[in-house]
Amino acid sequence: MKDLFELLTKEIVFEEAVSYFGDKLPLKPSEFYKLADEYRNKAFTVSGYSKIQVLNKFHDELLKAIKEGTTLRDFKDSMNEFLENKGYKGITNFQADNIFRTNIQTSYQVGHYRQMTSPEVLRLRPIGSMTQ
């Protein structure tokens, strides 16, 4: 029974989502929008912020949320503390929700897609149109 409890309470990290988001390069919006559409999925930006230090903090907090399961409230509180210490106005509830959900959900969906289309999974469970 102890083994079952340990298995059920073990921290699980969604490696594919972590890999996808962790590989993104934070860029200023002006640089991000110069990229061809096909390369934007390799970059990360937040509208309204142009300092790399701030963009890196957004990226780090979002990556932490994907790795550790921190909440939207944790993300907003941490970002607001950081931004206010740097002389910025904090992010609103709407901004926090938009930034958090967009990036977390995209990372999870890419992670799920990578899992579903891995050769091992396709061998065991072919998914018709995805393999073509």
Side-chain angles (χ1 to χ4, degrees):
M1 194 66 152
K2 182 179 178 185
D3 292 338
L4 178 60
F5 179 77
E6 287 176 7
L7 180 64
L8 293 174
T9 58
K10 177 182 174 189
E11 185 175 316
I12 299 173
V13 177
F14 193 173
E15 294 298 334
E16 292 84 355
V18 170
S19 172
Y20 170 76
F21 191 78
D23 289 345
K24 285 182 168 276
L25 177 67
L27 293 176
K28 298 175 185 179
S30 60
E31 296 167 337
F32 179 85
Y33 291 109
K34 288 179 185 174
L35 293 175
D37 289 342
E38 63 200 79
Y39 298 110
R40 286 188 188 166
N41 68 340
K42 303 264 187 217
F44 168 80
T45 197
V46 176
S47 293
Y49 297 95
S50 59
K51 293 197 180 206
I52 288 297
Q53 180 187 26
V54 174
L55 294 169
N56 281 334
K57 179 64 173 175
F58 272 106
H59 185 268
D60 291 347
E61 288 300 318
L62 290 165
L63 186 58
K64 179 180 175 184
I66 296 167
K67 284 182 179 177
E68 300 175 15
T70 57
T71 66
L72 171 60
R73 178 175 297 283
D74 296 334
F75 168 74
K76 182 180 179 245
D77 291 346
S78 179
M79 283 310 306
N80 280 343
E81 180 180 343
F82 174 82
L83 291 169
E84 290 165 4
N85 286 339
K86 296 293 180 188
Y88 292 90
K89 183 178 173 186
I91 54 178
T92 66
N93 288 336
F94 175 78
Q95 289 170 310
D97 185 68
N98 186 27
I99 295 164
F100 187 85
R101 290 183 193 278
T102 299
N103 288 285
I104 301 297
Q105 290 302 314
T106 300
S107 299
Y108 284 5
Q109 294 308 319
V110 169
H112 287 296
Y113 182 81
R114 287 181 178 174
Q115 286 178 343
M116 292 184 325
T117 58
S118 73
E120 300 82 22
V121 172
L122 287 175
R123 185 173 48 77
L124 298 170
R125 292 188 63 112
I127 305 170
S129 64
M130 291 184 140
T131 61
Q132 297 175 4

